[in-house]
Amino acid sequence: QGDLERERLTRLRHTPAVTLDGQKIELLANIEMPEDTKTAMQVGAVGVGLFRSEFLFMGRQGHLPDEEEQYDAYRRAVEGMAGLPVTIRTVDVGADKPLDEARHDAAHLNPALGLRAIRWSLADPDMFLNQLRAILRAAAHGRVNLLIPMLAHASEIKQTLALVEQAQRDLDHRGMAYGSVQLGAMIEIPAAALSLRLFLHHFDFLSIGTNDLIQYTLAIDRADESVAHLYDPLHPAVLKLVADTISECHRQGKSVSVCGEMAGDVTLTRLLLGLGLRSFSMHPSQVLAVKQQILRADASKLKAWAQDILNSEDPAEKMG
Ligand code: PEP
Ligand code: MG
């Protein structure tokens, strides 16, 4: 990106993200720390679609942040967005995001298939309750969505929802203020994308984590360079899971976004629009370039084209 191009993009900051045929598109930011909301606001994101809360937990030699410290961080993120919604994902440590670099998970053969994300949270309910209470308390200061990573099983969903209720009861008991939240699940395990009825029965919205969805669908370790050439967002199986998730959410009137790298890839914007996606969450540095794609796109015309890509044997080739 040259200086001139960057300057041209910067002028799009306040331009609403609307396609040529008048479809409003929601462009959200992925953040790792409360301070990142500044950049998110600067690029004109209309909310945070993914606050990766694990960055508050990592590199602390096991001294995890307590409820107060987390509450403070989440509240700062909410205030930083000045009334725009903030989607806080509960801690997603393990595999490529170890708690401590030095203690990289060597004891388990397949850490990506091990005790990570919601599995790790459910293994330590007291720790998880600290986080849930902190998030609910931050929701008293603005619009907060609560997003759960890596769910696959009905039992995990039920345990999670029971703990959210427990956290609310705890706060009632203490007489502390908290806000209501929209509850969302990440779709990042193929089993989840194939059980949408279960997920939509329990959740208000879904967010497609394509980074992990690709990894688990294609059995490609996303952190392993030696198989990086096989990591393919355009594999027909990946596209089918993404497309089905979007359309089932539409059918049921629930919101859905993509928050994996695919959402910030300008070569995929038109395809995702054609598959019906209307909410994209990405690194702040990608927001303006994606907006430029959206301003040039005619979503209704992209629909048939996207179906063709979806049904082809070699989508990458067909995309040209
Ligand atoms: C994803 O898996 O696509 C995602 C957004 O989560 P993370 O990259 O943090 O695993
Ligand atoms: Mg993920």
Side-chain angles (χ1 to χ4, degrees):
Q1 223 178 63
D3 282 352
L4 205 74
E5 177 68 2
R6 214 178 352 257
E7 202 183 297
R8 241 158 39 92
L9 286 179
T10 309
R11 277 192 244 124
L12 295 180
R13 247 179 76 183
H14 301 294
T15 309
V18 179
T19 59
L20 291 174
D21 56 323
Q23 295 282 324
K24 289 197 187 79
I25 311 300
E26 183 176 55
L27 296 184
L28 305 162
N30 293 352
I31 66 168
E32 297 180 353
M33 285 293 176
E35 296 70 39
D36 299 339
T37 53
K38 245 172 91 176
T39 338
M41 293 295 274
Q42 272 162 12
V43 296
V46 296
V48 167
L50 175 66
F51 179 173
R52 288 183 162 103
S53 70
E54 56 273 15
F55 285 86
L56 302 170
F57 290 68
M58 290 159 62
R60 313 209 1 162
Q61 285 81 43
H63 292 288
L64 303 184
D66 63 12
E67 180 181 327
E68 287 309 308
E69 182 182 341
Q70 288 187 62
Y71 164 61
D72 182 64
Y74 305 143
R75 182 179 44 75
R76 279 187 289 131
V78 168
E79 288 172 354
M81 292 311 287
L84 297 172
V86 176
T87 300
I88 303 172
R89 178 177 71 183
T90 60
V91 62
D92 181 13
V93 291
D96 56 314
K97 287 177 289 195
L99 266 186
D100 288 292
E101 212 50 63
R103 288 194 295 162
H104 217 109
D105 197 349
H108 305 279
L109 271 179
N110 294 300
L113 305 182
L115 194 71
R116 58 167 292 207
I118 189 62
R119 301 169 181 181
W120 190 75
S121 296
L122 292 176
D124 188 348
D126 288 333
M127 188 261 326
F128 193 35
L129 280 165
N130 276 335
Q131 175 161 44
L132 292 173
R133 285 188 299 259
I135 294 172
L136 291 170
R137 288 171 60 193
H141 301 272
R143 285 166 64 194
V144 170
N145 305 315
L146 175 57
L147 180 60
I148 313 293
M150 282 280 291
L151 288 166
H153 302 265
S155 60
E156 294 170 311
I157 295 177
K158 285 177 188 145
Q159 283 176 69
T160 301
L161 297 181
L163 286 168
V164 172
E165 283 174 19
Q166 170 76 49
Q168 286 165 336
R169 273 199 306 275
D170 292 349
L171 293 170
D172 283 335
H173 215 78
R174 289 195 212 152
M176 284 180 119
Y178 62 92
S180 62
V181 294
Q182 294 280 301
L183 271 175
M186 289 194 68
I187 300 297
E188 47 187 352
I189 299 181
L194 295 168
S195 323
L196 294 169
R197 267 215 328 236
L198 165 71
F199 279 76
L200 290 172
H201 178 70
H202 292 285
F203 290 97
D204 303 312
F205 71 97
L206 299 180
S207 187
I208 309 173
T210 49
N211 304 339
D212 278 310
L213 188 60
I214 296 166
Q215 154 166 276
Y216 295 126
T217 303
L218 303 178
I220 300 301
D221 184 339
R222 63 192 263 194
D224 186 340
E225 285 298 327
S226 65
V227 286
H229 61 291
L230 295 172
Y231 186 91
D232 180 14
L234 291 174
H235 189 290
V238 172
L239 291 183
K240 181 169 183 355
L241 295 177
V242 170
D244 287 353
T245 304
I246 295 169
S247 52
E248 189 57 28
C249 283
H250 287 334
R251 230 189 320 274
Q252 298 204 26
K254 303 253 170 132
S255 46
V256 57
S257 71
V258 168
C259 65
E261 297 295 316
M262 282 180 81
D265 182 340
V266 291
T267 67
L268 300 177
T269 309
R270 288 155 50 84
L271 179 60
L272 291 171
L273 282 173
L275 295 178
L277 190 71
R278 296 294 178 264
S279 175
F280 298 64
S281 192
M282 67 203 75
H283 192 277
S285 65
Q286 297 158 330
V287 168
L288 291 169
V290 169
K291 189 187 281 187
Q292 189 174 43
Q293 294 298 314
I294 284 164
L295 297 175
R296 293 170 178 169
D298 185 327
S300 57
K301 282 191 189 144
L302 290 171
K303 216 170 150 180
W305 170 76
Q307 284 308 311
D308 261 8
I309 306 274
L310 190 61
N311 293 325
S312 86
E313 284 177 19
D314 190 347
E317 188 194 60
K318 201 165 178 90
M319 295 255 305

